[in-house]
Amino acid sequence: MCKTLTAALAALAIGLIASSAAAGTLPAKAILQADKPGAVISRNLYGQFSEHLGGGVYDGIWVGEGSAIANVRGIRSDVVAALKALKTPLVRWPGGCFADEYHWRDGIGPRGERPLRKNNWWGGAPESNAFGTHEFMDFIEQIGAEAYVSVNVGSSTPTEMREWIEYMTSPGQDTLAQERRKNGRDQPWKVALWGIGNENWGCGGNMTAEYYANELRRFISFFHQGEDNPGLRVATGPSGDDTRWTDVLMKNAGHAFDALSLHYYTLPTGNWKSKGAATGFSRKEWVDTFAQTLKMDDYIKRHSAIMDSHDPDKRVGLYVDEWGTWYDVEPGTNPGYLYQQNTLRDAVVAAANLNIFHQHADRVRMSAIAQTINVLQAMILTDGAELALTPTYHAFRMYVPFQDATSLPLQLTTPEFTLDGTSIPAINASAARGKDGKIHIAIANMDPQDSVDLSIDLSGLKAKSVTGEVLTADKMDAHNVPGQPAAIAPKPYTGGRLGNGKLMLDLPAKSVVVVTLD
Ligand code: AHR
């Protein structure tokens, strides 16, 4: 069965019969309308999230000035280089659940005098506070990104928030600005985004939507957005399909914030007690993972519809500032550190979600995958001085041309893959005109078994050549390990050809393909 009925129905049906038996090639069709530009795909859709959690900050970013690992002012240089290559636009910090227990004053001043705290949310780990405001902003500047700072609402006050903002952004002679100078930073920083709490329906204070909306209004009264602090205010939004939260927030406090966050994690089983393994999984778990991750599209549509009813001009952005796969931790690791391997499956999940975000670029103007290094669906895994770029990293690198590109309609008709009663579309895709003027098309082939022959009608667009990259592997759980040769990396793509006003793409099973038309 096809997602959309087309003249190719019979052919697709034959393909689908093949899909449930042996590996085959399935036909799919699309129409590209390059003359109908849509919304700009904000580069902020490619944001990262780095929490004080497991090896995310300590080991992952911060090794300290005395470390044998190459670093600049304590920040590891290999990680900086890798994130620069991704053109990482922004990083969200310090949490997560950690943010609503974090007191910024713990992380300023001489490092030797900073308090040692217990990280109650994440494994009870000792928190040295060696990585604080100055170190985070140094990291941000080293990678050429912008800052997204989450303030403590759940266990703090508007005063603490206001003082942190003034400490970071005041250009004046006031005591907080002078304290910043004494701590080594003369010029104020620019903070692009401020999160007003995190998951305040859960770890951020277990608030009802009504209660949080009131708290938000109170905090925002002391936020003082303006010339010194032009940062946008991001309100805690819903988890998954909690549309009531969105409605209450938009109704009771919609005027008081610039964006509403959305958190949705992909668990293969959908069960927090037994989420599924990061490697060594079955084909059924692959299919279940995609059935779960594709709910993102439905959730965005449902929250956007509510936001449209309160904010038809789309002033308020929907920021998916936590998303990605969440598996059972690697055996033998601290369950509170959320360390998981990252495979070809994760790369295809990343691509499928990025395609969804592109399709909703008018409302979804920022996202942050959880989390950058050594935690959940990471870009980078480290082991001492060794570092591995994960398949998810490679998918993000392949998608760089979409940053600030203009989305283009791509009407797709895809076959489905069905296993044991669960069906997923074989492919999803997105298209855009890049800032370089070229057309870029990205496809996630989620079918674990069949390649797909995609025929794209270019609607009169003239193209001379097609080039690109493909990320795939024989094994569904192909992955890279720090200190070992890479088992999976993108390769030049040779499966595209142009003719008769069409672009034909041969898309291997379980792959990410990004092509450019010249
Ligand atoms: O990313 C891990 C945790 O997931 C975050 O701290 C929290 O916001 C979410 O529940």
Side-chain angles (χ1 to χ4, degrees):
M1 187 148 122
C2 290
K3 276 214 105 165
T4 324
L5 285 177
T6 71
L9 189 58
L12 292 178
I14 293 164
L16 283 169
I17 292 162
S19 83
S20 57
T25 299
L26 309 179
K29 290 188 169 197
I31 303 170
L32 174 71
Q33 290 171 293
D35 57 344
K36 295 211 164 63
V40 169
I41 296 168
S42 170
R43 67 178 183 283
N44 288 346
L45 281 172
Y46 289 81
Q48 297 287 334
F49 172 35
S50 288
E51 179 168 14
H52 287 236
L53 194 179
V57 167
Y58 300 107
D59 296 340
I61 299 172
W62 180 258
V63 288
E65 284 159 330
S67 172
I69 299 171
N71 70 86
V72 173
R73 293 180 295 279
I75 293 163
R76 61 188 293 170
S77 302
D78 52 358
V79 163
V80 167
L83 294 176
K84 274 173 93 164
L86 282 191
K87 300 202 185 306
T88 302
L90 58 82
V91 181
R92 178 174 181 250
W93 173 86
C97 295
F98 181 82
D100 278 282
E101 217 169 282
Y102 182 64
H103 297 285
W104 67 272
R105 283 200 161 276
D106 287 352
I108 59 166
R111 266 181 229 114
E113 294 171 20
R114 297 184 193 174
L116 181 68
R117 305 280 186 210
K118 181 176 170 197
N119 190 333
N120 290 301
W121 289 111
W122 304 117
E127 169 56 62
S128 70
N129 281 300
F131 192 84
T133 300
H134 290 253
E135 291 78 13
F136 171 65
M137 294 308 292
D138 190 8
F139 168 60
I140 286 299
E141 289 180 345
Q142 286 192 37
I143 65 172
E146 292 198 290
Y148 177 0
V149 174
S150 286
V151 305
N152 181 343
V153 167
S155 67
S156 182
T157 62
T159 305
E160 185 172 349
M161 173 197 71
R162 181 182 55 72
E163 291 186 348
W164 197 7
I165 294 172
E166 282 173 23
Y167 179 87
M168 292 186 77
T169 65
S170 172
Q173 297 305 311
D174 46 282
T175 302
L176 284 164
Q178 295 294 37
E179 188 179 4
R180 182 192 68 233
R181 292 192 183 100
K182 187 169 78 94
N183 288 331
R185 174 72 184 198
D186 181 24
Q187 291 302 310
W189 288 293
K190 181 173 165 282
V191 177
L193 305 176
W194 294 94
I196 315 299
N198 168 74
E199 296 196 351
N200 300 90
W201 36 260
C203 65
N206 272 307
M207 302 175 192
T208 62
E210 287 80 0
Y211 187 90
Y212 172 69
N214 281 351
E215 282 293 278
L216 182 66
R217 291 167 66 130
R218 192 166 76 100
F219 271 70
I220 293 294
S221 306
F222 306 99
F223 182 87
H224 305 305
Q225 196 176 46
E227 201 181 319
D228 292 350
N229 173 28
L232 301 182
R233 306 152 300 180
V234 186
T236 286
S239 171
D241 62 354
D242 184 359
T243 47
R244 184 180 180 276
W245 182 279
T246 302
D247 193 39
V248 172
L249 262 288
M250 290 301 291
K251 194 162 61 198
N252 294 7
H255 64 283
F257 53 85
D258 305 298
L260 190 66
S261 73
L262 167 64
H263 289 185
Y264 174 57
Y265 283 99
T266 299
L267 283 58
T269 60
N271 175 358
W272 284 99
K273 291 202 176 117
S274 174
K275 299 178 271 294
T279 57
F281 48 84
S282 66
R283 192 177 274 188
K284 177 70 167 86
E285 285 170 278
W286 170 288
V287 173
D288 288 344
T289 304
F290 285 94
Q292 292 290 342
T293 214
L294 293 172
K295 289 180 183 173
M296 181 68 87
D297 186 49
D298 178 50
Y299 294 164
I300 289 174
K301 282 183 183 141
R302 287 162 66 186
H303 294 297
S304 295
I306 292 169
M307 292 175 81
D308 284 349
S309 72
H310 296 280
D311 172 34
D313 296 337
K314 299 186 194 292
R315 184 189 68 80
V316 178
L318 182 61
Y319 289 1
V320 190
D321 64 14
E322 285 188 34
W323 65 276
T325 53
W326 192 324
Y327 307 121
D328 298 330
V329 297
E330 292 303 320
T333 64
N334 186 326
Y337 288 7
L338 309 188
Y339 179 80
Q340 62 189 42
Q341 246 302 347
N342 189 297
T343 71
L344 173 60
R345 173 176 61 170
D346 295 272
V348 184
V349 163
N353 279 280
L354 292 170
N355 288 336
I356 291 169
F357 298 155
H358 294 173
Q359 288 155 11
H360 298 288
D362 58 341
R363 181 70 83 173
V364 181
R365 304 197 279 264
M366 182 269 165
S367 97
I369 189 167
Q371 299 192 8
T372 322
I373 308 150
N374 293 332
V375 176
L376 299 177
Q377 190 175 351
M379 305 290 118
I380 296 167
L381 299 177
T382 65
D383 183 1
E386 305 291 349
L387 166 151
L389 301 178
T390 65
T392 300
Y393 176 96
H394 291 305
F396 266 62
R397 218 268 300 120
M398 289 164 69
Y399 272 64
V400 163
F402 285 90
Q403 293 192 17
D404 289 335
T406 301
S407 61
L408 298 173
L410 186 70
Q411 220 180 304
L412 183 67
T413 304
T414 172
E416 290 185 344
F417 181 81
T418 302
L419 189 63
D420 296 345
T422 304
S423 294
I424 55 169
I427 59 172
N428 84 350
S430 62
R433 189 182 291 278
K435 288 201 298 183
D436 54 5
K438 297 176 184 172
I439 305 277
H440 305 281
I441 303 173
I443 307 102
N445 186 353
M446 300 171 278
D447 188 320
Q449 173 184 281
D450 309 298
S451 59
V452 171
D453 262 347
L454 174 61
S455 166
I456 305 178
D457 182 339
L458 296 176
S459 310
L461 178 86
K462 299 274 177 274
K464 286 188 297 234
S465 69
V466 50
T467 53
E469 284 183 293
V470 56
L471 183 70
T472 189
D474 289 342
K475 291 187 179 161
M476 293 185 293
D477 69 348
H479 58 272
N480 296 329
V481 176
Q484 294 180 18
I488 169 168
K491 297 204 170 85
Y493 177 67
T494 54
R497 66 204 146 74
L498 290 156
N500 300 325
K502 293 201 163 77
L503 169 65
M504 300 294 302
L505 299 175
D506 174 7
L507 307 166
K510 49 181 166 31
S511 69
V512 178
V513 172
V514 178
V515 294
T516 298
L517 297 183
D518 226 343

